[in-house]
């Protein structure tokens, strides 16, 4: 454990951010899995789930959770599920 006040704060801040990032990353993966499962089952709600997953991908890229090229690749793969 750090002794310096600013280092202590960095530890708590990094824990908070790590938890937030983990939550967002988990939500992103879940949305993508739901969209893929719906497309595989040819469910009527596939389009809505794909739109939701694309929104999550955009949010993750905006927050810096994933790289913009990674986001573009994921969105392209999701868009191909609708066709």
């Amino acid at each position: 454990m750090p002794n310096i006040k600013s280092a202590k704060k960095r530890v708590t801040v990094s824990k908070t951010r790590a938890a937030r990032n983990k939550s967002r990353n988990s939500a992103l993966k879940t949305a993508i899995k739901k969209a893929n499962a719906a497309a595989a089952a040819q469910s009527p709600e596939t389009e809505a789930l794909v739109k939701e997953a694309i929104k999550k991908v955009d949010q993750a890229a905006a927050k810096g959770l994933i790289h913009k090229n990674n986001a573009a690749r994921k969105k392209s793969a999701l868009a191909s599920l609708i066709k």
Side-chain angles (χ1 to χ4, degrees):
M1 187 70 193
N3 293 325
I4 299 169
K5 186 177 180 181
S6 61
K8 289 179 183 177
K9 182 177 179 182
R10 294 307 317 155
V11 168
T12 58
V13 168
S14 64
K15 280 184 183 177
T16 304
R17 288 183 180 223
R20 187 180 302 135
N21 287 340
K22 187 173 182 180
S23 172
R24 287 184 178 150
N25 205 4
S26 177
L28 172 66
K29 288 180 182 180
T30 302
I32 291 172
K33 284 180 187 176
K34 282 183 181 179
N36 286 331
Q42 297 181 348
S43 174
E45 61 207 21
T46 300
E47 192 170 339
L49 288 172
V50 167
K51 284 184 179 181
E52 184 182 333
I54 288 175
K55 181 179 176 183
K56 293 273 187 190
V57 169
D58 282 335
Q59 288 174 341
K63 296 292 182 183
L65 195 60
I66 59 174
H67 193 271
K68 65 176 187 169
N69 291 353
N70 188 351
R73 190 171 66 247
K74 288 182 188 298
K75 286 168 59 176
S76 175
L78 287 166
S80 69
L81 295 176
I82 297 175
K83 294 181 182 174

